[in-house]
Amino acid sequence: MKKYVLRRLLVAIPSLLIASVIVFSLPRLLPGDVVQLMLEEKAYGKDLEELRAKMGLNRPFYVQYWEWLGKVVQGDLGESLWTRRPVVEELLRRLPVSMELGLLALFFAIVIALPIGVLAAVRQDSVSDFVARSLAILGLSVPGFWIATLVILLPAIWWGWSPPIQFTEFSKDKWAHLSQFLLPAFILGIASAAAIMRLTRAMLLEVLRQDYVRTAWAKGLRESVVVAKHSLKNAIIPVVTVLGIQIAQILGGTVIFEQIFGLPGMGRFLFDAINQRDYPVIQGVNLIIVSVVVGMNLLVDATYAFLDPRIRY
Amino acid sequence: MDERLMMSDLSRRDLLKLGSAAAMVGASAQVLDLARPAPAAAQTPKRGGTFHLRSHVQPPHFDPHAILAFSTMIPLSFAYSRLVKVKAGASVVPGTQQVEPDLAESWTQPNETTYIFKLKKGVRWHNKPPVNGRELTADDVKFTYERYLATTNPNRGTLEALDKIEVMDKHTIKFTMKEPFAWFVDALASTSTWIVAKECVEKFGDLKKPESVIGTGPWMLERYEPGTRMSFVRNPSYFVPGLPYVDNVEITIDIDPASGFAAFLAGKYDFGPEYGMVVRRSDLDVAKQRKPKLQTKDYIVVFGGITWLKLDQEPFKDIRVRRAMGMAASWREVLETNAWSLGHGVPNTAVPAALKEWALPVDQLSADGRRLYEQDTAGAKRLLAEAGFPSGIKFPLETTPGYGPDYVDAVQIGLKNWKAAGIDAELKMKEYGAFISSTIFGKFDKVGSGLFGAWTDPDSYLYRYYMPGQPLNAAGVNDPKLADMVKLQRRTFDVAKRKDIIYDIQRYVAQQAYILFGPSVSAVAAWEPYVKNFGPNIGHDYGGRMMAAWLDK
């Protein structure tokens, strides 16, 4: 197991290196650079060159890349070209917000999806199965931002109530802090829950038809033991794989939800940075996202061994 | 009044959503009171309380000499002062920009190129290090404007006519212009000309960080949390005794419009949640149901659609083609389909109708000019045929989705109406950052379309869009007669005469159809009944307007 994790970590290094080249180069391929955006309507040729030189953006691409990479390995992601604030400082403030939102959304997704998926499989073709499947289709097809907008607007129109508008830090008020995440995390988790629920149901149905499960029934085991101990553990392996993918999707979804619910996370930070061509920020945020996704997938792979003793690395 | 307020990439897009009821088409400005506020001037101002406002964008940074963004200038308007400012209060008619002293006690103009300003005595900087509440002097003003004119300041065009700045004594400063520039005092009231302290620049390297926001203004920046909030507290040493009335200003950075409106309904903001304290007309009924005593005022926003035609290229060299494009469009339809306006608004000539003292109503244009504003599909077809295009014309049109869905809707309406007249525009959408760093500078094939409305003075629109060599002359206008007229108005100090010249320019450019303008929305500013002596206006001087207001809860 240790060997496997080590090997995966080593494999992750070239992945991250390739990602670093991509995140460094792609923003620079966008038309309109940061200097043009800063000077905007006064973007005369001489001024552009002067500002580019001042920011070190007139040097060859590879020189800029190596310099950036050299700093990255030392934990320095540079500073914003617009605000001059260190990117690491901003990320340390914003990453926890996005991670908290993402993890809570994942928590809601699992908590909603697994019981309903199991119930739907165990009670196949019953009313509860039909309702669960219908809800799943609804969850998949209704955009989360639309639900979020309604959830925000309707109580305001009906009762003059709206969610908190200013972000409260955990250290200042734990309950206020947590409460502002509940609604967005729940809605963000709905789409993932729907996907996970459908997969759980399908996988469990397949496992429930296996010979060893029939044997378990024949032995007179209780339903809860047959389902939870003998079936679910095997059915859940593909679900765990999908969870890994869902993490990336949820992280992507935080961009919109952070905006709607006023959470100062990485999503909005990245969005603004792209619009402003703030290269160090774009690079830093993307590198962190890539690292998180790689790390989470590594965790997912490691979970296989725990769930299925047959899997050996 | 020349408030050369421009926007950065992000800010321009967000801000100009207000003007997005205007894309392809080219009245009189009008201001209608929906619910007249109580005569606040007659009431006794009350001290204390907190103003709660929404900002839909966060400032990229706080250095007024390194950015165009309105999202920077708005917060700075609470903390800084300038030599002169725009009058504020409930009695001010939106669209007017009456200049009055701010840091200046008085000023004189000995000749056409010289201005001497006397500063108020005893004005103190905020009591924060490194300035620590010392007195403001003429050296600060000189330092500010010299820094303002640095090549890296995208706003420096506002004062580019300035040649020399001399400190005559501690409280007197002399400005010498390169040539007569009648808009100079108005330019000094721009919300980019905040007077800054040398010590701050020396200590912080620039003024981008929030801790460097140290001015002489009515409030002090107490706290800034990026993406979340800006909190201001009353400046106890403000140089106007008794002002400001309100102790705190809390600006919440709330990006989502639905969330902003919901929070407004829930009483978390004291003013309309959109830029300019506006509530979208489509939301107005709900807002009034929830808040029956809500105070509102209609005003014409300064933004509108603009379409540049490459004048050095066929078929746009032919005036008949240009006129046909104007005639085929319908500004009324654009306004009717827009959520901000729901049909309320006015067409624009070369000077936005919002600048009500300077804009020429459409009905006062020449007959040829007026025809651009009366949709006539058959007439447009006829003109095209006369120009040698009986089966119509086809060209690519560059624009951006970055101004938001309302803008894109307006563009689609324009395309539909053009199509009906045989004008087939192939839409080429550019990412916003690419658009504002290329298309607005004329880097497009045939036709470009976007939004105008960055300034609150007429000169900027005429000088920047029509003078040869100006970066924003995207259409490539090169008309010596027009250039002479534009220069002449800049040199004419008599306001009435200048106005006549500006009217003539508007008539002339409408006749030539060099650039096509869309309409501007009549927006509805809204504020709570307990907010007194507040009056909305164009421009980004939120701090100035808030200083005149108070809370009566």
Side-chain angles (χ1 to χ4, degrees), chain A residues 30-33 36-44 46-47 50-51 54-55 81-85 90 93-94 149 152-153 155-169 172 258-264 268-269 271-272 274-277, chain B residues 6-10 12-13 58 60-61 66-68 151-152 154 156-157 160 204 206 208-210 223-229 250-252 254-256 258-259 261-263 265-266 268-269 286 290 431 433-434 436-437 440-441 443 455 464 470-472:
Chain A
L30 290 169
D33 71 1
Q36 283 174 314
L37 294 177
M38 279 179 168
L39 293 180
E40 205 169 321
E41 292 165 5
K42 278 289 170 187
Y44 298 110
K46 183 173 149 280
D47 300 348
E50 197 176 300
L51 193 54
K54 201 173 162 188
M55 294 176 139
L81 296 174
W82 285 80
T83 64
R84 287 186 45 235
R85 279 199 295 268
E90 280 287 329
R93 212 170 54 80
R94 291 169 181 271
T149 304
I152 280 185
L153 268 180
I157 293 169
W158 292 334
W159 309 300
W161 178 88
S162 76
I165 50 170
Q166 286 195 339
F167 179 70
T168 309
E169 286 161 17
K172 290 195 177 127
E258 284 167 7
Q259 177 171 323
I260 295 175
F261 289 92
L263 299 171
R268 184 67 205 185
F269 189 42
F271 185 75
D272 287 349
I274 291 169
N275 275 327
Q276 295 174 334
R277 306 291 191 271
Chain B
M6 297 169 251
M7 291 139 277
S8 75
D9 53 331
L10 175 72
R12 176 188 299 274
R13 170 191 55 215
Q58 66 172 345
H61 60 69
I67 201 162
L68 301 158
T151 56
T152 47
R156 73 180 189 281
E160 69 184 4
F204 299 107
D206 53 38
K208 291 182 174 176
K209 293 181 176 170
R223 184 178 179 196
Y224 172 58
E225 291 175 29
T228 303
R229 77 185 79 181
E250 189 73 17
I251 302 177
T252 300
D254 182 357
I255 292 154
D256 183 65
S259 160
F261 182 59
L265 290 181
K268 289 173 179 166
Y269 299 126
V286 173
R290 192 83 237 151
E431 187 269 339
I436 64 142
S437 51
I440 66 167
F441 299 117
K443 292 175 189 167
W455 315 287
R464 295 175 198 233
Q470 281 296 306
L472 288 178

Side-chain angles (χ1 to χ4, degrees), chain B residues 54-276:
Chain B
R54 169 185 180 241
S55 173
H56 66 288
V57 280
Q58 66 172 345
H61 60 69
F62 292 97
D63 193 335
H65 302 156
I67 201 162
L68 301 158
F70 83 99
S71 53
T72 290
M73 302 311 174
I74 286 176
L76 297 188
S77 73
F78 292 94
Y80 284 102
S81 312
R82 55 241 206 248
L83 284 185
V84 290
K85 63 184 168 111
V86 175
K87 191 179 176 183
S91 60
V92 170
V93 177
T96 60
Q97 301 277 285
Q98 189 185 330
V99 173
E100 60 182 22
D102 194 3
L103 291 171
E105 181 72 48
S106 61
W107 63 91
T108 54
Q109 191 184 359
N111 58 54
E112 285 196 334
T113 55
T114 308
Y115 295 82
I116 296 171
F117 277 79
K118 290 265 182 204
L119 302 180
K120 284 176 182 155
K121 289 177 182 162
V123 174
R124 300 213 162 264
W125 292 95
H126 294 164
N127 192 9
K128 290 178 175 182
V131 194
N132 296 316
R134 74 161 170 82
E135 190 184 359
L136 174 126
T137 66
D139 285 320
D140 293 313
V141 179
K142 179 178 162 68
F143 171 78
T144 295
Y145 290 127
E146 284 176 350
R147 187 173 189 265
Y148 190 97
L149 291 168
T151 56
T152 47
N153 180 8
N155 286 304
R156 73 180 189 281
T158 303
L159 297 176
E160 69 184 4
L162 194 53
D163 184 35
K164 212 163 45 174
I165 308 164
E166 294 163 272
V167 171
M168 298 178 76
D169 63 44
K170 195 178 171 188
H171 296 105
T172 312
I173 190 153
K174 183 170 138 187
F175 298 102
T176 309
M177 315 304 292
K178 292 172 190 159
E179 56 184 3
F181 179 46
W183 296 98
F184 180 62
V185 176
D186 303 283
L188 292 179
S190 156
T191 48
S192 63
T193 58
W194 308 111
I195 304 299
V196 302
K198 188 179 182 181
E199 294 96 314
C200 287
V201 178
E202 285 171 351
K203 181 179 177 185
F204 299 107
D206 53 38
L207 300 173
K208 291 182 174 176
K209 293 181 176 170
E211 50 269 33
S212 70
V213 179
I214 299 170
T216 54
W219 286 278
M220 302 185 289
L221 181 61
E222 184 188 45
R223 184 178 179 196
Y224 172 58
E225 291 175 29
T228 303
R229 77 185 79 181
M230 287 176 272
S231 305
F232 293 86
V233 292
R234 188 173 186 271
N235 173 11
S237 312
Y238 187 56
F239 59 87
V240 182
L243 289 179
Y245 300 117
V246 169
D247 287 339
N248 300 286
V249 178
E250 189 73 17
I251 302 177
T252 300
I253 299 162
D254 182 357
I255 292 154
D256 183 65
S259 160
F261 182 59
F264 174 63
L265 290 181
K268 289 173 179 166
Y269 299 126
D270 300 318
F271 298 88
E274 300 298 339
Y275 173 80

Side-chain angles (χ1 to χ4, degrees), chain B residues 279-308:
Chain B
V279 171
R280 292 158 61 113
R281 275 184 198 274
S282 55
D283 294 333
L284 196 58
D285 286 345
V286 173
K288 285 191 165 176
Q289 265 174 15
R290 192 83 237 151
K291 297 168 182 281
K293 291 183 180 171
L294 191 69
Q295 302 183 78
T296 58
K297 186 175 250 186
D298 277 27
Y299 73 106
I300 305 294
V301 301
V302 78
F303 312 104
I306 184 166
T307 300
W308 304 282

Side-chain angles (χ1 to χ4, degrees), chain A residues 45-262:
Chain A
K46 183 173 149 280
D47 300 348
L48 290 171
E49 288 315 310
E50 197 176 300
L51 193 54
R52 270 193 200 109
K54 201 173 162 188
M55 294 176 139
L57 297 171
N58 58 344
R59 294 169 302 160
F61 173 84
Y62 67 89
V63 174
Q64 292 182 52
Y65 174 73
W66 279 117
E67 188 187 80
W68 173 73
L69 196 62
K71 286 182 178 171
V72 167
V73 294
Q74 297 172 57
D76 178 5
L77 295 173
E79 59 179 33
S80 160
L81 296 174
W82 285 80
T83 64
R84 287 186 45 235
R85 279 199 295 268
V87 176
V88 170
E89 201 178 279
E90 280 287 329
L91 284 178
L92 285 176
R93 212 170 54 80
R94 291 169 181 271
L95 183 62
V97 176
S98 294
M99 290 302 290
E100 191 173 346
L101 177 61
L103 289 174
L104 266 175
L106 199 63
F107 168 77
F108 278 121
I110 294 168
V111 164
I112 295 168
L114 285 188
I116 297 179
V118 171
L119 183 75
V122 173
R123 306 274 181 268
Q124 192 189 2
D125 296 331
S126 67
V127 174
S128 51
D129 180 28
F130 177 76
V131 171
R133 280 190 289 159
S134 303
L135 286 176
I137 295 288
L138 203 65
L140 281 172
S141 32
V142 178
F145 67 84
W146 184 77
I147 300 174
T149 304
L150 288 189
V151 164
I152 280 185
L153 268 180
L154 293 180
I157 293 169
W158 292 334
W159 309 300
W161 178 88
S162 76
I165 50 170
Q166 286 195 339
F167 179 70
T168 309
E169 286 161 17
F170 185 78
S171 56
K172 290 195 177 127
D173 186 340
K174 292 178 185 64
W175 169 242
H177 174 85
L178 192 65
S179 65
Q180 67 200 341
F181 280 94
L182 292 179
L183 208 52
F186 179 77
I187 301 167
L188 183 57
I190 286 176
S192 293
I196 296 167
M197 178 259 148
R198 282 165 61 85
L199 191 67
T200 305
R201 177 184 177 276
M203 289 298 108
L204 193 57
L205 279 175
E206 203 176 307
V207 173
L208 286 172
R209 288 178 174 82
Q210 297 289 315
D211 290 344
Y212 72 88
V213 175
R214 196 177 302 121
T215 308
W217 285 119
K219 281 162 69 181
L221 294 176
R222 278 181 290 131
E223 187 183 33
S224 58
V225 176
V226 174
V227 173
K229 191 175 174 188
H230 294 279
S231 310
L232 191 57
K233 205 170 171 185
N234 286 327
I236 210 91
I237 294 171
V239 176
V240 172
T241 311
V242 167
L243 274 180
I245 299 164
Q246 291 296 326
I247 290 165
Q249 280 185 357
I250 284 175
L251 274 179
T254 59
V255 176
I256 294 169
F257 281 80
E258 284 167 7
Q259 177 171 323
I260 295 175
F261 289 92

